[in-house]
Amino acid sequence: MKSFNELNSWVKDMAVLCSPDQIYWCDGSEEENEQFLRELTATGKTIPLNPEKRPGSYAFFSDPSDVARVEDRTFISSRFKEDAGPTNNWIEPTILKETMMGLYRGSMRGRTMYVIPFMMGPFGSPLSKIGIQLTDSLYVVVNMRIMTRMGRQVLDKLNDLKWFIPCLHSVGYPLLPGQTDLPWPSAPIEKKYIAHFPEEKLIWSYGSGYGGNALLGKKCLALRIASVIAREENWMAEHMLILKLTNPEGKVKYILGAFPSACGKTNLSMLVPTLPGWKVETIGDDIAWLWIKEDGHLYAINPEAGFFGVAKGTSYESNPNAMMSIRKNTIFTNVALTDDLDVWWEGIDGPTPNHLKDWKQEDWTPEKKTPAAHPNSRFTVSAKQCPVIADEWENPEGVMISAILVGGRRPTTIPLVHESLSFNHGVFMGSMMGSEITAASISNQIGVVRRDPFAMLPFIGYHVGDYLKHWLDMGKLSNDALLPKIYYVNWFRKDEEGDFLWPGFGHNSRVLKWIFERSEGTAKAKVTPIGNMPTMDALDIRGMSLKPGAMESLLEVNTNAWLEEVASLKVYYQSIGSKMPQELMDELEKLETRLKFMTV
Ligand code: GTP
Ligand code: SPV
Ligand code: MN
């Protein structure tokens, strides 16, 4: 964090280091944005889409090596390794800074350094934070304008807020005299660094232009650095959607959901219920900042202003509200293009076209075996364009939370839904989360199940043991009666044939209904060794077709499978080391005892 007075000298120092040809302060205006998009078009970095089909929208195609977050190249550079913990990459800060200064030296030659003032959180919220990102990528500028509250009005707020989080970003591809630019400049993988300095609250990102690596307000600031600040200031920064659920009588509840990347947050946050009379509206689709107010309840704001959503698989059938959000003024990255310059991806509605340009800009026909759109292709769109954005989504006071969902891709063992027995048991449920690795990060282990506590594994800015302790400590600021219950959900359980047992998407409203009614005290539940679960008749599955026996499998607690889970969790907890909170080890032991001795 730096004080307002240091802003100009910091910008100047970074310019001396990176040697851009010029410095440009972004004002965030419409005219400025149009000028940037004209420039991106003229230099061949983007393709404007057919204005009849997709007005105001643009397609970008990344370098094939720069398609997702790079977890192997992401660093928590605290002074001591112990503070970064066993799950983060760590390099001692003076060493990392020296290495990165070497890379930044002259890295913006031949380019402009854009200064982006941005706000995370609604104007006027007690949690909102200001960041200033310096970048040599116009793609980043036009995306940050959608994803954050960006522009001149933020600098006015700097007077009041006094502090800002400095974020330095370079794609790492300087232009020497006479050198032509690439459509998507970036640096080779071994030169990429996504670095966080938690003591200084400083972000340095080098070598990548994609998503969370480059739009520094998102994962770097609103999760990794914010999680460090939140721990110091008694609040929480979480990888969670926020939704508003209204029942047929018009009663409203707000629900959080922590699912790992590409596990259904955007989809759930704007779901169209298949249950008549129920309504879901969106507050946020990826990040929530949470705090406990004096009334003892948990409140949430969405620090972002837009959605950076997974394109692949999005359709009018799976997520109509996302499809309606992206009809205009949308940036698409790594999707395929139709011959009449509209977007296409695997899973979109309608027949597969006979000819496309794929995300590598090559001709594509259905015979081609490779996917036309990259699995981590994305759309960037303002939250204001979502037809079900809730009226109160920018309320600086936040919304009061009634339930927290946790979950991930678990083909076996974990049932459709189970409910925490206490707040600490709920934290235990979050701590044991696991999920199959998805294409949202670059990995050769896609599909392998890994532990991902509260979906925060790649986003905790400090020691994972301290993070779990912080959850427990937050619980101590209030009491179980006022805090939301935690629900472990699993939309991804599979049958023997490898098909999903639960149809998911809009049908998830049936689970939301049970959760809503649990918090009202009206829904039926049975006690099981793992927590409270709906009785076979408690879930409203009217009008739904499930395979015979599917419901039994979805609500099954297989003792042997769970005892294996317990054994694997013991190993996992050990890997966290001495900072693993005793309360959670106690919860694990209690679970084991219940599994062994409880009769249901
Ligand atoms: P990030 O933006 O990476 O954090 O992802 P996310 O958590 O917002 O995930 P998103 O909603 O974009 O969903 C990712 C993929 O999961 C989609 O392409 C869907 O195909 C799939 N998905 C989402 N919800 C469901 C569901 O209820 N059931 C099944 N089977 N798949 C789902
Ligand atoms: C995620 O990976 O969880 C995302 C996409 O939301 S990115 O912004 O690239 O992190
Ligand atoms: Mn995400």
Side-chain angles (χ1 to χ4, degrees):
M1 219 130 35
K2 284 190 184 294
S3 87
F4 183 30
N5 307 332
E6 297 170 280
L7 176 57
N8 285 317
S9 63
W10 173 68
V11 172
K12 222 165 81 206
D13 288 350
M14 293 305 107
V16 168
L17 175 64
C18 301
S19 316
D21 286 1
Q22 53 197 324
I23 303 174
Y24 178 91
W25 289 70
C26 300
D27 66 19
S29 67
E30 191 66 50
E31 302 75 60
E32 178 188 84
N33 190 50
E34 278 167 16
Q35 172 55 33
F36 288 158
L37 287 162
R38 272 197 298 275
E39 191 179 323
L40 284 160
T41 307
T43 53
K45 295 192 174 199
T46 189
I47 298 177
L49 297 176
N50 184 338
E52 310 265 299
K53 307 222 153 198
R54 210 58 72 169
S57 302
Y58 293 82
F60 288 81
F61 303 94
S62 79
D63 189 89
S65 66
D66 195 26
V67 294
R69 284 184 293 102
V70 281
E71 293 182 7
D72 285 351
R73 307 296 306 161
T74 299
F75 297 87
I76 299 299
S77 188
S78 43
R79 218 165 296 143
F80 302 104
K81 187 174 197 304
E82 175 68 359
D83 292 334
T87 56
N88 284 311
N89 300 310
W90 177 85
I91 299 177
E92 197 279 326
T94 50
I95 295 174
L96 180 55
K97 278 195 176 168
E98 201 174 298
T99 307
M100 290 188 76
M101 298 249 278
L103 294 167
Y104 280 128
R105 197 155 290 126
S107 75
M108 295 190 185
R109 267 175 299 167
R111 300 187 185 280
T112 301
M113 174 192 267
Y114 299 93
V115 183
I116 310 174
F118 65 97
M119 172 87 100
M120 300 311 290
F123 289 109
S125 174
L127 294 192
S128 292
K129 296 280 176 290
I130 287 174
I132 309 280
Q133 178 164 354
L134 309 179
T135 181
D136 53 6
S137 161
L138 259 188
Y139 169 83
V140 166
V141 178
V142 294
N143 275 272
M144 285 289 285
R145 183 167 180 272
I146 297 174
M147 293 307 296
T148 72
R149 293 157 179 92
M150 181 266 251
R152 185 173 292 148
Q153 72 277 30
V154 172
L155 291 182
D156 301 338
K157 297 280 183 294
L158 251 183
N159 279 315
D160 319 333
L161 287 181
K162 295 192 180 63
W163 301 96
F164 70 93
I165 295 163
C167 310
L168 174 62
H169 172 249
S170 171
V171 294
Y173 195 86
L175 294 171
L176 307 178
Q179 188 176 350
T180 48
D181 202 359
L182 297 174
W184 185 283
S186 59
I189 184 79
E190 70 280 3
K191 289 197 175 156
K192 287 180 170 57
Y193 288 89
I194 319 300
H196 309 73
F197 301 92
E199 285 94 1
E200 275 184 83
K201 322 283 187 284
L202 169 71
I203 299 164
W204 276 10
S205 166
Y206 183 91
S208 167
Y210 206 91
N213 300 333
L215 313 177
L216 301 187
K218 198 172 176 55
K219 297 311 191 326
C220 298
L221 193 161
L223 288 178
R224 298 194 193 94
I225 292 298
S227 69
V228 173
I229 301 173
R231 179 166 166 246
E232 292 166 358
E233 297 179 352
N234 276 331
W235 54 279
M236 296 197 278
E238 295 295 331
H239 192 203
M240 290 177 172
L241 70 95
I242 314 169
L243 68 81
K244 173 183 180 183
L245 180 63
T246 309
N247 78 357
E249 286 72 50
K251 187 150 192 187
V252 170
K253 289 188 193 288
Y254 299 94
I255 297 178
L256 299 170
F259 310 146
S261 303
C263 290
K265 287 183 300 301
T266 302
N267 275 271
L268 194 75
S269 74
M270 47 186 84
L271 138 167
V272 179
T274 52
L275 281 172
W278 288 78
K279 187 161 81 177
V280 167
E281 291 162 278
T282 317
I283 306 275
D285 84 323
D286 198 52
I287 300 178
W289 285 355
L290 315 174
W291 75 113
I292 294 173
K293 288 199 198 174
E294 271 161 23
D295 62 8
H297 289 286
L298 185 70
Y299 287 77
I301 56 165
N302 170 13
E304 300 190 278
F307 309 130
F308 184 63
V310 178
K312 190 199 148 209
T314 306
S315 68
Y316 276 98
E317 202 179 309
S318 65
N319 191 347
N321 287 320
M323 291 302 285
M324 284 187 269
S325 306
I326 62 176
R327 282 203 291 215
K328 58 179 185 189
N329 309 331
T330 303
I331 294 171
F332 295 91
T333 310
N334 286 348
V335 301
L337 292 187
T338 61
D339 290 347
D340 59 356
L341 288 181
D342 198 2
V343 293
W344 192 87
W345 46 78
E346 282 72 16
I348 201 172
D349 313 82
T352 301
N354 293 324
H355 180 261
L356 295 163
K357 283 273 189 219
D358 68 14
W359 69 277
K360 291 184 172 169
Q361 295 275 277
E362 287 165 8
D363 286 306
W364 187 94
T365 56
E367 293 78 57
K368 209 164 166 177
K369 289 285 162 281
T370 49
H374 189 276
N376 193 39
S377 52
R378 299 258 169 181
F379 53 79
T380 319
V381 70
S382 167
K384 292 199 174 99
Q385 285 192 195
C386 178
V388 293
I389 194 78
D391 289 339
E392 61 275 46
W393 80 280
E394 296 193 276
N395 183 347
E397 290 306 318
V399 294
M400 194 188 97
I401 300 302
S402 296
I404 303 175
L405 316 189
V406 301
R409 292 176 184 264
R410 287 295 304 264
T412 64
T413 314
I414 313 290
L416 182 62
V417 57
H418 66 285
E419 179 191 68
S420 58
L421 301 167
S422 64
F423 187 76
N424 280 6
H425 178 236
V427 177
F428 165 76
M429 282 158 64
S431 81
M432 66 165 282
M433 273 173 62
S435 192
E436 293 177 316
I437 295 172
T438 66
S441 70
I442 293 178
S443 171
N444 52 15
Q445 292 198 301
I446 289 172
V448 175
V449 173
R450 70 166 178 188
R451 298 282 164 203
D452 189 351
F454 287 101
M456 282 288 282
L457 179 69
F459 309 121
I460 306 169
Y462 55 99
H463 194 295
V464 59
D466 287 332
Y467 168 78
L468 293 171
K469 177 161 188 307
H470 182 52
W471 262 93
L472 296 166
D473 288 345
M474 288 297 293
K476 291 180 189 129
L477 296 179
S478 182
N479 62 65
D480 275 30
L482 296 174
L483 291 169
K485 289 227 170 76
I486 296 182
Y487 295 84
Y488 199 141
V489 298
N490 182 17
W491 319 137
F492 300 96
R493 183 123 174 198
K494 290 183 173 167
D495 63 16
E496 268 101 59
E497 279 86 59
D499 297 324
F500 291 120
L501 277 163
W502 179 251
F505 301 100
H507 289 301
N508 295 334
S509 58
R510 297 163 189 278
V511 176
L512 293 180
K513 177 186 175 191
W514 183 74
I515 291 167
F516 186 109
E517 292 174 351
R518 283 298 290 167
S519 77
E520 293 280 277
T522 54
K524 277 201 282 183
K526 63 174 184 210
V527 185
T528 81
I530 63 170
N532 300 320
M533 289 179 63
T535 52
M536 212 46 91
D537 59 343
L539 276 184
D540 189 343
I541 53 167
R542 280 174 292 176
M544 199 184 172
S545 60
L546 284 171
K547 279 193 199 164
M551 207 62 225
E552 286 73 13
S553 308
L554 283 163
L555 295 181
E556 172 207 39
V557 181
N558 182 317
T559 306
N560 285 335
W562 271 92
L563 285 171
E564 275 172 42
E565 189 77 16
V566 167
S568 127
L569 278 168
K570 281 186 185 164
V571 176
Y572 173 63
Y573 277 7
Q574 249 159 28
S575 76
I576 293 178
S578 62
K579 289 196 174 207
M580 183 66 215
Q582 185 61 43
E583 286 101 318
L584 297 179
M585 296 200 279
D586 294 346
E587 288 294 335
L588 181 57
E589 208 153 290
K590 285 194 271 181
L591 170 64
E592 186 173 16
T593 308
R594 291 194 302 267
L595 285 164
K596 283 183 175 156
F597 300 110
M598 190 170 147
T599 44
V600 194

PDB file of all heavy atoms in Angstrom, residues 9 56 86 95 157 173 250 516 576 590:
ATOM      1  N   SER A   9       5.310   9.970  -7.750  1.00  0.00           N
ATOM      2  CA  SER A   9       6.716   9.541  -7.748  1.00  0.00           C
ATOM      3  C   SER A   9       6.814   8.045  -8.049  1.00  0.00           C
ATOM      4  O   SER A   9       7.744   7.604  -8.726  1.00  0.00           O
ATOM      5  CB  SER A   9       7.389   9.903  -6.428  1.00  0.00           C
ATOM      6  OG  SER A   9       6.775   9.210  -5.374  1.00  0.00           O
ATOM      7  N   GLY A  56     -20.884  -3.600 -30.597  1.00  0.00           N
ATOM      8  CA  GLY A  56     -19.938  -3.105 -29.601  1.00  0.00           C
ATOM      9  C   GLY A  56     -19.040  -4.182 -29.023  1.00  0.00           C
ATOM     10  O   GLY A  56     -18.465  -4.004 -27.948  1.00  0.00           O
ATOM     11  N   PRO A  86       2.847 -23.941   3.003  1.00  0.00           N
ATOM     12  CA  PRO A  86       3.239 -25.045   2.125  1.00  0.00           C
ATOM     13  C   PRO A  86       2.528 -25.066   0.774  1.00  0.00           C
ATOM     14  O   PRO A  86       2.912 -25.823  -0.108  1.00  0.00           O
ATOM     15  CB  PRO A  86       2.836 -26.289   2.944  1.00  0.00           C
ATOM     16  CG  PRO A  86       1.717 -25.823   3.821  1.00  0.00           C
ATOM     17  CD  PRO A  86       1.985 -24.374   4.117  1.00  0.00           C
ATOM     18  N   ILE A  95      15.291 -10.982  -3.385  1.00  0.00           N
ATOM     19  CA  ILE A  95      15.783 -11.761  -4.536  1.00  0.00           C
ATOM     20  C   ILE A  95      14.794 -11.686  -5.687  1.00  0.00           C
ATOM     21  O   ILE A  95      15.164 -11.442  -6.841  1.00  0.00           O
ATOM     22  CB  ILE A  95      16.031 -13.231  -4.119  1.00  0.00           C
ATOM     23  CG1 ILE A  95      17.156 -13.287  -3.080  1.00  0.00           C
ATOM     24  CG2 ILE A  95      16.354 -14.100  -5.327  1.00  0.00           C
ATOM     25  CD1 ILE A  95      17.403 -14.657  -2.493  1.00  0.00           C
ATOM     26  N   LYS A 157     -11.448   9.992  -5.224  1.00  0.00           N
ATOM     27  CA  LYS A 157     -11.644   9.265  -3.966  1.00  0.00           C
ATOM     28  C   LYS A 157     -10.324   9.046  -3.224  1.00  0.00           C
ATOM     29  O   LYS A 157     -10.301   8.842  -2.015  1.00  0.00           O
ATOM     30  CB  LYS A 157     -12.283   7.900  -4.224  1.00  0.00           C
ATOM     31  CG  LYS A 157     -13.675   7.980  -4.820  1.00  0.00           C
ATOM     32  CD  LYS A 157     -14.704   8.260  -3.730  1.00  0.00           C
ATOM     33  CE  LYS A 157     -16.109   8.269  -4.265  1.00  0.00           C
ATOM     34  NZ  LYS A 157     -16.426   9.349  -5.202  1.00  0.00           N
ATOM     35  N   TYR A 173       7.354  -7.748 -23.462  1.00  0.00           N
ATOM     36  CA  TYR A 173       7.727  -7.877 -24.880  1.00  0.00           C
ATOM     37  C   TYR A 173       8.044  -6.484 -25.434  1.00  0.00           C
ATOM     38  O   TYR A 173       7.262  -5.878 -26.160  1.00  0.00           O
ATOM     39  CB  TYR A 173       6.576  -8.526 -25.662  1.00  0.00           C
ATOM     40  CG  TYR A 173       6.969  -9.033 -27.037  1.00  0.00           C
ATOM     41  CD1 TYR A 173       7.501 -10.306 -27.212  1.00  0.00           C
ATOM     42  CD2 TYR A 173       6.794  -8.225 -28.164  1.00  0.00           C
ATOM     43  CE1 TYR A 173       7.857 -10.768 -28.467  1.00  0.00           C
ATOM     44  CE2 TYR A 173       7.150  -8.688 -29.426  1.00  0.00           C
ATOM     45  CZ  TYR A 173       7.674  -9.954 -29.567  1.00  0.00           C
ATOM     46  OH  TYR A 173       8.029 -10.416 -30.818  1.00  0.00           O
ATOM     47  N   GLY A 250     -42.232 -14.174  -1.803  1.00  0.00           N
ATOM     48  CA  GLY A 250     -41.535 -12.895  -1.887  1.00  0.00           C
ATOM     49  C   GLY A 250     -40.488 -12.683  -0.808  1.00  0.00           C
ATOM     50  O   GLY A 250     -39.893 -11.622  -0.701  1.00  0.00           O
ATOM     51  N   PHE A 516     -32.885 -22.750   1.660  1.00  0.00           N
ATOM     52  CA  PHE A 516     -33.728 -21.612   2.067  1.00  0.00           C
ATOM     53  C   PHE A 516     -34.637 -22.039   3.209  1.00  0.00           C
ATOM     54  O   PHE A 516     -34.728 -21.386   4.256  1.00  0.00           O
ATOM     55  CB  PHE A 516     -34.550 -21.152   0.848  1.00  0.00           C
ATOM     56  CG  PHE A 516     -35.373 -19.911   1.052  1.00  0.00           C
ATOM     57  CD1 PHE A 516     -35.020 -18.715   0.421  1.00  0.00           C
ATOM     58  CD2 PHE A 516     -36.524 -19.922   1.843  1.00  0.00           C
ATOM     59  CE1 PHE A 516     -35.786 -17.563   0.582  1.00  0.00           C
ATOM     60  CE2 PHE A 516     -37.294 -18.787   2.011  1.00  0.00           C
ATOM     61  CZ  PHE A 516     -36.928 -17.601   1.374  1.00  0.00           C
ATOM     62  N   ILE A 576      -0.222 -29.690   6.049  1.00  0.00           N
ATOM     63  CA  ILE A 576      -0.320 -28.268   6.394  1.00  0.00           C
ATOM     64  C   ILE A 576       0.625 -27.920   7.547  1.00  0.00           C
ATOM     65  O   ILE A 576       1.042 -26.780   7.700  1.00  0.00           O
ATOM     66  CB  ILE A 576      -1.797 -27.900   6.700  1.00  0.00           C
ATOM     67  CG1 ILE A 576      -2.609 -28.023   5.400  1.00  0.00           C
ATOM     68  CG2 ILE A 576      -1.932 -26.504   7.306  1.00  0.00           C
ATOM     69  CD1 ILE A 576      -4.087 -27.745   5.539  1.00  0.00           C
ATOM     70  N   LYS A 590     -14.010 -36.267  15.219  1.00  0.00           N
ATOM     71  CA  LYS A 590     -15.429 -36.465  15.536  1.00  0.00           C
ATOM     72  C   LYS A 590     -16.154 -37.097  14.353  1.00  0.00           C
ATOM     73  O   LYS A 590     -17.010 -37.967  14.528  1.00  0.00           O
ATOM     74  CB  LYS A 590     -16.096 -35.127  15.900  1.00  0.00           C
ATOM     75  CG  LYS A 590     -15.720 -34.625  17.291  1.00  0.00           C
ATOM     76  CD  LYS A 590     -16.646 -33.500  17.753  1.00  0.00           C
ATOM     77  CE  LYS A 590     -16.113 -32.145  17.317  1.00  0.00           C
ATOM     78  NZ  LYS A 590     -16.932 -31.002  17.729  1.00  0.00           N
TER      79      LYS A 590
END
